[in-house]
Amino acid sequence: MQVIQLLVTGLAVGSIYALVALGFVLVYTAVNVVNFAQGDFSMVAAFFMVSLVVSAHLPYALGFVVSVILAGVAGYLFQLGVYQPVKNRPRNFLPVMIATVGGSIFLQHLFLILYGPVPLQLPSVFSQQTVDLGGVHVYPQYLLIIVVTAVMVALLNWFFERTKLGKQMQATAQDPTTARLMGINTARMNALTFALSTALGGLAGILVAPVYMVTTTMGSLIGLKAFAASIVGGFSSVKGAIIGGLAIGIIETFGGTYISGAYRDAFAFIVLVLFLIFRPYGLFGEKVSQKV
Amino acid sequence: MARQILKFIPVIALLAIVPFLLPGGRLGTYYLTLTILSVSYAIACLGLTVVLGYSGQVSLAQAAFYGLGSYTLAILTVKHHWPFWPSALLGVIVPTLFGLVLGAISLRLTTHYLALVTIGFQVIISLVLNNWATVTGGADGISNIPRPTIGPLSFVDDRSYYWLMLVFLCLAVYVVYRLRHSRLGNALLALREDEIAASSAGINLFWAKVLAFSVSAALGGLAGVLYAAGALYISPNIYIFDQSVLFFSMTLVGGQESIIGTLLGAGLLTFLPEWLRFLKDYYIAVYGLLVIVVVLFLPDGLWGLVQRGVRAILRLVKKETPVQPAAVVETLMQRAEPIHRPTPGEQVLLEVKDLHKHFGGVKAVNGVSFTVRKGDVAVLIGPNGSGKTTVLNVLSGIYEPTAGEVWFDGRNISGLKPHVINRLGIARTFQNIRLFPELTALENVIVGYYPKGTVGLAGTLLSTPRGYLEERIARERAEETLRLLGFTRIHEKAKNLPYGQQRIVEIARAMVCEPQLLLLDEPAAGMNTEETKELSHLVYRLHELGFTILLIEHDMSFVSQVATQAYVMDFGSKIAEGSVDEVLRNPAVIKAYLGDDAEYDYA
Amino acid sequence: MLKVHHIESRYGEVVGLHDISLEVNEGEIVALLGVNGAGKSTTLKTISGLLHPTKGTIEYLGERIDRLPPETIVRKGIVHVPEGRRIFPGLTVKENLIMGTSNRKVSKAEVEQGIERVLTIFPDLKRLMNQLGWSLSGGQQQMLAIGRGLMANPKILMLDEPSLGLAPVIVKQVFQTIREINEQGVTVLLVEQNASMSLRIAHRAYLLETGRVVRTDTAANLLADDAVRTTLLTAHGRG
């Protein structure tokens, strides 16, 4: 029975990583850069949620939606201020990476100023008691995380596969020049991609907030592990991000229980290094020859 | 050149008198502690100058190396009662070994993959320091770390310890400076600028990366050792990811490519929090903003800004006249009587046997065979997309062939790495010019001479006469080659040169080692009529000088002036061969170029 | 309809076009011919807004378009089918076609109509509708690229090297189709290395050399001229 309990926990933790990893993958496939502040948007949304629900007494569901949207807006502003100015530099990987690392430092400390260093508590809509499902004791919040993530993945899938806007975003990611020639406003598509990815990160932050505390640094470790998950998944594959995220969540939960609790945070990176050595292009990545 | 190192003397002298400039009392002691801290940060950041500034590899694990250095010293001296100096030495060696491993892993990884591996390493080291309590003392850390003595000299009090640190800072500056101005340093810069071009110029990417990471880790370890003995007490919360980010920021804010810039950045960001204290909680946010602002607006850091300012002032004062570019190949043309053009011998230098290269379903090269004899100027022609460049990329080792073989000088070279092929005597240029843009023209060509050098890291750091000699020879050979081609703006950064001149520099880089076979990929592309004419003289001249050349070209007038042998490709296969005039009369070739039209085939 | 007036265009340092002037009238097929590097593709890129001219003007239906971004220009009906086909590899054939309608607001019915029209021209695409772009052969990709261009309802269709890398049989088909499309009322500006084929379907042609127009005439006259053939085989007028 403990195995199933751990599996539920692992899937829940993994869902969080998967959502953030999806954000990494969306931005990477669209504009070929990595947003190192991706994880911090989980923190941003969680703080918004605390303000809206705990301080302003908004209904939980409304606060939830508004916070996710605000995280998207924050992502839009972030790309405007941090990504746009450096995107045209030659070999832009390094400048973009550094700018987003700077952005991450800035966001964390901005929220430190706004909310102070004391961790805040976001209550769950459910009780903190475990429920008994045929002998398996699980926290309802974990089930919520899994269900919401599943719904979100289905929604995203619908958006990218069934809507013209979703297809236009894909087209922009695959070949921006040709997309422009088709009349697609690629700058708008890229901004939208950033907003979508930070909104996903925000969703993850709100979902996980009742389990952990809300602190200014809660996003960094989630972000790093999600980044590892997206690389394990193949980095340019949506399916890979989800499976990579879930796998890391499960490995971490089981490893933390059966191998060593103290090194729980190391498992994601150990898995990552093993992958990079033995399967450098991840689960679903394709090896692409470098163009000369 | 050793005299240039003198420019660091004022900086060091200024640093040496810092203790006398500080106020007395507790404030003075406090500032001295901060100064000691900043010197150790500066040494750690110099490591990043090498790995990030020179070789262009991302490392977000400098705090881990710093920690490995500190903990090795602390554990050996405090727990095992080793004497100071052997412990300190191990404190440098242990992180260096880890650096070697990280460098080795980094060969296959670039950009974000590499960044994440270094972060992972950093996180794991932090966890180990925190949790392996029996060895590291866990969260409590280790206290009572001793400071060293040498014979009668004691470095126990803060001031003398500070001076001891300055000695090590000088050593670190020397190491980084020597490295930068050596053959190895050029290789690192080449790696940063363009991996494909670097490896085609004979640089072993694997060793270059391992070198960068291990030097960086050694400096990080040294900084950690000095920090531990300076602070007397260490605990794991110093060696966390955030500290790595801080080192990274320091290096960038100062200017990652400059030693003085790095020192400036380390000092500034150590003291900035003190100066921003009036902002209370806000200072760290301001500091994050500072990083963004520097990255957005000052890509070469604060020191770059200072340098640009100084240069602008100098220009105002001096009003130097811009150097007029000389006619490109004048010297070469004037140099000697026309030598008799060598007739190609019978000796086959290059033999391509039934070569195939497929990308997924696309058969870019589909069974091509041809030979190049010693003394040939062979040309591959064919319509766009017929697979010519792919052939060249296979010959130079950038692609592995799907099937077929390439024999060069009696040896099967198919599937060898680009730098190995270069060392066997095949050098190349690229269709879209791949110079190292931030390097000067001369430095670009010196990189081309890299394979001829033999002096390694030890020789470079010990400044052996042989090292200097080799560097001088490389420089002279590079200057001579550029002069031979009539190129004068040798100290101009490659990115500032006009297109035609960039091409000349690229050819110089390829020929400086006197390769047995020169591969030129569309040398006339993007050139105007005049430049093309000069280029054809140049290729003609190279041939006279004895070079064997295989080139790809679209410009038929160019081709017919220089080529001794032509091969025509279409759809990944060879459709004709012979002299240029012969193949241009070949109906199959006319069809490939002009299209399928019977009315036109009147000839 | 389209007037290009003495334009110069650069890629960074390199001057791609020195001085190009040309006109395209409604209903014509106009060919731009020249060897590699003569500036044919650069001309198309400048017209479609991917590059902005450093000198000169471009007028379309009496309106200057040389400062507009490509998204705006394609909305006006100038559709550029780029060199190398540039199919979106991860989208299906149908989705690629739908992307062609991104230059305007369309109803589902209009999209279906557009697809029907493309399928009458390229019936081969019908059975490929749900295949991903990368899995198509070169010829199929070219048909898709032209079809995708047609989905944009072009007034002027600019085709860059539609015969590139295609087997001769397929090339013939492609050229036949271009003529058909033109007969349906679409003006065509064609860039080609395959000179004789192009001249057989074009009404007029411009001969480009190192970024300049060196000759312009009716296709029939050019086709009969040996000098043209020589220029195309050997650059810089070497005889």
Side-chain angles (χ1 to χ4, degrees):
Chain A
M1 283 306 117
Q2 198 202 3
V3 174
I4 298 178
Q5 269 162 236
L6 286 177
L7 197 64
V8 172
T9 311
L11 280 175
V13 175
S15 300
I16 298 298
Y17 298 151
L19 286 174
V20 181
L22 266 175
F24 276 116
V25 168
L26 289 181
V27 169
Y28 183 74
T29 44
V31 287
N32 240 308
V33 298
V34 178
N35 177 7
F36 275 76
Q38 175 72 25
D40 294 306
F41 289 91
S42 303
M43 174 270 290
V44 168
F47 273 111
F48 286 151
M49 185 72 180
V50 171
S51 285
L52 292 172
V53 174
V54 179
S55 312
H57 303 292
L58 245 61
Y60 205 90
L62 183 62
F64 196 107
V65 174
V66 172
S67 304
V68 170
I69 290 172
L70 283 177
V73 172
Y76 174 80
L77 295 176
F78 185 84
Q79 64 92 28
L80 205 65
V82 176
Y83 166 68
Q84 293 290 347
V86 284
K87 69 169 182 185
N88 289 330
R89 294 257 179 91
R91 290 171 293 145
N92 76 354
F93 158 73
L94 202 56
V96 170
M97 186 196 123
I98 295 163
T100 57
V101 168
S104 162
I105 299 174
F106 175 69
L107 278 176
Q108 287 184 22
H109 292 102
L110 182 70
F111 277 74
L112 190 64
I113 295 166
L114 295 176
Y115 289 91
V118 183
L120 300 176
Q121 178 82 50
L122 178 69
S124 169
V125 271
F126 305 108
S127 71
Q128 292 299 322
Q129 306 295 311
T130 58
V131 292
D132 189 334
L133 298 175
V136 182
H137 297 272
V138 293
Y139 287 103
Q141 181 71 23
Y142 286 160
L143 295 177
L144 178 74
I145 292 174
I146 296 170
V147 169
V148 171
T149 304
V151 169
M152 199 61 218
V153 168
L155 264 177
L156 274 178
N157 189 53
W158 169 82
F159 173 72
F160 279 115
E161 291 306 320
R162 293 276 169 255
T163 68
K164 189 167 169 187
L165 185 59
K167 288 294 169 195
Q168 286 176 333
M169 283 172 78
Q170 284 190 50
T172 304
Q174 290 168 18
D175 188 340
T177 309
T178 308
R180 293 188 80 188
L181 288 178
M182 303 284 102
I184 299 171
N185 186 335
T186 52
R188 193 183 297 158
M189 295 301 142
N190 291 338
L192 196 59
T193 306
F194 265 93
L196 185 59
S197 78
T198 54
L200 284 171
L203 177 67
I206 298 169
L207 286 173
V208 82
V211 182
Y212 303 145
M213 291 292 217
V214 180
T215 67
T216 53
T217 53
M218 67 180 276
S220 2
L221 205 56
I222 294 178
L224 289 176
K225 288 181 190 166
F227 190 6
S230 49
I231 287 187
V232 166
F235 215 52
S236 48
S237 148
V238 167
K239 188 167 55 171
I242 296 163
I243 293 179
L246 294 178
I248 294 230
I250 290 169
I251 290 169
E252 181 177 297
T253 307
F254 278 84
T257 307
Y258 292 119
I259 302 171
S260 159
Y263 289 99
R264 170 185 293 266
D265 289 336
F267 291 112
F269 297 104
I270 292 168
V271 171
L272 170 79
V273 170
L274 291 179
F275 254 87
L276 287 175
I277 292 172
F278 297 108
R279 202 180 151 81
Y281 294 89
L283 287 170
F284 298 101
E286 279 170 39
K287 186 172 174 166
V288 217
S289 293
Q290 200 161 5
K291 257 274 189 228
V292 181
Chain B
M1 259 188 291
R3 251 178 285 128
Q4 277 184 15
I5 210 162
L6 295 179
K7 74 180 173 194
F8 293 104
I9 287 182
V11 180
I12 302 289
L14 187 70
L15 287 176
I17 58 166
V18 161
F20 299 113
L21 303 177
L22 295 174
R26 277 179 55 200
L27 192 61
T29 317
Y30 175 67
Y31 276 131
L32 189 56
T33 314
L34 264 187
T35 314
I36 287 177
L37 185 68
S38 71
V39 173
S40 82
Y41 284 177
I43 296 174
C45 291
L46 282 172
L48 286 180
T49 304
V50 173
V51 78
L52 177 71
Y54 297 167
S55 74
Q57 310 294 308
V58 176
S59 168
L60 280 168
Q62 197 65 349
F65 297 122
Y66 196 66
L68 286 168
S70 292
Y71 269 91
T72 307
L73 177 81
I75 291 164
L76 290 176
T77 52
V78 175
K79 299 207 162 178
H80 300 280
H81 310 292
W82 278 38
F84 183 88
W85 292 110
S87 315
L89 185 64
L90 267 177
V92 177
I93 292 173
V94 169
T96 309
L97 294 178
F98 278 95
L100 279 171
V101 174
L102 214 52
I105 294 176
S106 81
L107 175 71
R108 293 163 68 180
L109 307 174
T110 49
T111 60
H112 49 271
Y113 293 96
L114 177 57
L116 192 54
V117 167
T118 62
I119 294 171
F121 175 70
Q122 168 68 56
V123 171
I124 291 170
I125 293 289
S126 302
L127 286 171
V128 170
L129 295 182
N130 243 316
N131 291 310
W132 199 12
T134 48
V135 177
T136 65
D140 295 337
I142 299 174
S143 46
N144 294 324
I145 300 163
R147 284 183 183 172
T149 54
I150 304 174
L153 291 173
S154 158
F155 300 99
V156 174
D157 72 300
D158 280 356
R159 211 181 257 192
S160 52
Y161 185 73
Y162 169 69
W163 283 320
L164 177 70
M165 285 182 87
L166 279 189
V167 172
F168 281 102
L169 179 66
C170 291
L171 182 71
V173 167
Y174 172 77
V175 166
V176 175
Y177 182 88
R178 271 303 295 152
L179 189 64
R180 167 65 185 86
H181 294 88
S182 72
R183 160 177 177 268
L184 298 177
N186 281 328
L188 294 187
L189 293 186
L191 163 75
R192 174 191 77 189
E193 297 287 305
D194 190 331
E195 291 201 5
I196 287 178
S199 113
S200 299
I203 292 165
N204 185 335
L205 298 181
F206 179 74
W207 285 117
K209 287 182 181 176
V210 167
L211 173 78
F213 268 94
S214 41
V215 168
S216 168
L219 289 170
L222 173 67
V225 165
L226 292 171
Y227 169 78
L232 307 172
Y233 161 74
I234 56 172
S235 67
N237 60 2
I238 303 160
Y239 308 104
I240 52 175
F241 174 59
D242 292 18
Q243 183 67 34
S244 278
V245 174
L246 180 65
F247 285 144
F248 197 75
S249 319
M250 286 174 166
T251 314
L252 286 165
V253 168
Q256 75 265 31
E257 239 197 286
S258 142
I259 293 173
I260 293 180
T262 304
L263 302 184
L264 182 77
L268 192 69
L269 290 197
T270 317
F271 282 94
L272 196 63
E274 300 304 314
W275 298 331
L276 293 178
R277 200 139 271 180
F278 66 94
L279 292 172
K280 300 207 173 66
D281 294 341
Y282 295 80
Y283 82 85
I284 306 183
V286 170
Y287 160 80
L289 258 186
L290 180 74
V291 174
I292 300 182
V293 167
V294 168
V295 172
L296 297 190
F297 303 108
L298 302 172
D300 42 5
L302 291 174
W303 184 246
L305 182 72
V306 173
Q307 281 181 315
R308 260 180 288 157
V310 170
R311 237 175 279 143
I313 293 168
L314 283 181
R315 211 170 300 143
L316 279 180
V317 178
K318 272 192 185 163
K319 283 247 178 242
E320 43 184 309
T321 45
V323 185
Q324 287 298 321
V328 177
V329 290
E330 208 173 50
T331 317
L332 187 68
M333 300 310 296
Q334 291 168 348
R335 203 171 80 112
E337 308 279 294
I339 311 170
H340 185 62
R341 230 183 157 191
T343 37
E346 284 309 304
Q347 190 195 344
V348 171
L349 189 60
L350 180 80
E351 187 172 12
V352 176
K353 295 179 182 169
D354 195 26
L355 192 68
H356 291 256
K357 176 67 192 174
H358 303 172
F359 298 98
V362 182
K363 295 174 176 171
V365 178
N366 198 12
V368 168
S369 305
F370 63 91
T371 55
V372 178
R373 291 163 303 171
K374 228 181 169 70
D376 260 337
V377 177
V379 62
L380 270 182
I381 54 181
N384 245 337
S386 55
K388 307 175 303 281
T389 294
T390 309
V391 170
L392 229 59
N393 283 337
V394 173
L395 296 187
S396 56
I398 288 168
Y399 294 152
E400 275 185 39
T402 310
E405 286 178 356
V406 181
W407 287 74
F408 175 71
D409 207 12
R411 187 176 162 174
N412 186 351
I413 62 162
S414 10
L416 295 181
K417 290 255 179 299
H419 71 269
V420 180
I421 290 179
N422 173 284
R423 281 156 185 250
L424 291 173
I426 301 182
R428 69 169 293 176
T429 65
F430 295 86
Q431 187 177 348
N432 39 355
I433 302 191
R434 299 188 83 124
L435 286 176
F436 309 120
E438 294 290 335
L439 269 56
T440 66
L442 182 64
E443 285 168 336
N444 264 283
V445 183
I446 290 176
V447 170
Y449 202 69
Y450 177 88
K452 296 274 186 200
T454 57
V455 171
L457 184 62
T460 303
L461 297 185
L462 296 174
S463 301
T464 55
R466 174 143 173 220
Y468 277 115
L469 181 69
E470 276 189 7
E471 279 160 35
R472 213 186 66 219
I473 293 176
R475 196 184 171 83
E476 280 171 4
R477 284 290 297 125
E479 283 175 354
E480 190 186 312
T481 308
L482 283 168
R483 212 167 36 234
L484 188 72
L485 302 186
F487 184 89
T488 49
R489 298 165 70 182
I490 61 173
H491 295 299
E492 188 72 65
K493 278 190 181 180
K495 65 171 183 189
N496 297 332
L497 292 169
Y499 199 78
Q501 300 216 1
Q502 290 193 14
R503 183 67 80 191
I504 300 296
V505 175
E506 203 191 21
I507 293 174
R509 182 178 72 191
M511 64 181 267
V512 67
C513 269
E514 298 185 353
Q516 292 195 64
L517 177 63
L518 201 51
L519 307 177
L520 306 177
D521 192 351
E522 290 199 35
M527 288 192 156
N528 61 32
T529 322
E530 199 50 37
E531 287 170 329
T532 306
K533 199 179 277 169
E534 282 170 355
L535 188 74
S536 68
H537 290 315
L538 168 60
V539 172
Y540 197 89
R541 191 70 187 169
L542 289 177
H543 186 214
E544 285 180 342
L545 294 171
F547 280 93
T548 305
I549 297 169
L550 171 62
L551 62 99
I552 293 179
E553 191 46 73
H554 281 291
D555 188 324
M556 292 305 163
S557 69
F558 180 92
V559 165
S560 50
Q561 276 167 39
V562 300
T564 58
Q565 178 75 0
Y567 298 96
V568 188
M569 282 181 72
D570 198 19
F571 293 111
S573 308
K574 184 176 71 182
I575 57 168
E577 64 178 283
S579 76
V580 178
D581 286 336
E582 273 165 34
V583 297
L584 285 187
R585 279 200 301 270
N586 185 321
V589 176
I590 293 170
K591 201 167 105 183
Y593 268 91
L594 290 181
D596 188 11
D597 190 335
E599 285 175 16
Y600 251 93
D601 296 340
Y602 62 85
Chain C
M1 189 174 195
L2 180 74
K3 270 188 198 164
V4 174
H5 194 68
H6 294 296
I7 54 166
E8 181 193 275
S9 240
R10 297 162 180 269
Y11 294 100
E13 275 259 355
V14 192
V15 179
L17 302 180
H18 289 282
D19 182 3
I20 299 273
S21 295
L22 56 90
E23 274 179 38
V24 180
N25 303 317
E26 193 154 4
E28 280 187 316
I29 299 181
V30 175
L32 297 184
L33 307 175
V35 297
N36 233 301
K40 302 169 303 218
S41 295
T42 314
T43 307
L44 291 198
K45 283 181 190 163
T46 313
I47 296 173
S48 66
L50 288 176
L51 295 173
H52 292 299
T54 39
K55 284 180 197 154
T57 59
I58 302 173
E59 264 178 49
Y60 171 65
L61 300 174
E63 178 197 5
R64 284 213 23 202
I65 58 164
D66 47 80
R67 294 280 129 210
L68 301 178
E71 302 90 290
T72 313
I73 290 176
V74 69
R75 269 174 222 141
K76 296 181 183 296
I78 302 183
V79 176
H80 179 177
V81 177
E83 182 179 348
R85 308 181 278 268
R86 306 289 283 265
I87 296 304
F88 298 115
L91 301 189
T92 64
V93 169
K94 185 169 182 185
E95 288 163 353
N96 264 287
L97 288 175
I98 295 173
M99 286 302 106
T101 64
S102 298
N103 64 339
R104 61 194 196 282
K105 286 221 174 334
V106 282
S107 65
K108 270 230 153 71
E110 284 175 90
V111 172
E112 289 305 320
Q113 261 176 3
I115 291 177
E116 276 309 305
R117 176 177 165 216
V118 170
L119 288 184
T120 51
I121 300 172
F122 299 112
D124 289 0
L125 290 180
K126 197 159 199 162
R127 59 187 176 84
L128 304 169
M129 286 306 267
N130 294 317
Q131 282 200 28
L132 289 179
W134 62 266
S135 68
L136 303 189
S137 73
Q140 293 166 340
Q141 286 192 2
Q142 188 60 57
M143 294 178 208
L144 176 55
I146 297 176
R148 190 177 58 181
L150 287 175
M151 292 293 286
N153 241 348
K155 295 193 180 105
I156 297 185
L157 187 64
M158 304 199 294
L159 301 171
D160 195 349
E161 304 267 9
S163 77
L164 190 75
L166 300 184
V169 196
I170 315 253
V171 172
K172 234 169 211 162
Q173 274 176 24
V174 168
F175 277 93
Q176 241 147 36
T177 320
I178 296 173
R179 192 183 288 180
E180 275 169 41
I181 292 170
N182 176 250
E183 279 160 5
Q184 293 178 13
V186 180
T187 308
V188 176
L189 179 57
L190 174 69
V191 154
E192 256 303 336
Q193 267 193 2
N194 191 330
S196 56
M197 270 297 211
S198 314
L199 288 174
R200 289 176 136 212
I201 64 162
H203 301 103
R204 291 187 303 117
Y206 291 84
L207 207 57
L208 267 58
E209 227 178 88
T210 54
R212 288 189 177 78
V213 174
V214 292
R215 189 141 174 232
T216 172
D217 208 333
T218 63
N221 287 349
L222 289 171
L223 201 54
D225 190 341
D226 282 356
V228 174
R229 170 199 174 88
T230 318
T231 318
L232 290 175
L233 255 186
T234 62
H236 307 308
R238 202 187 71 98

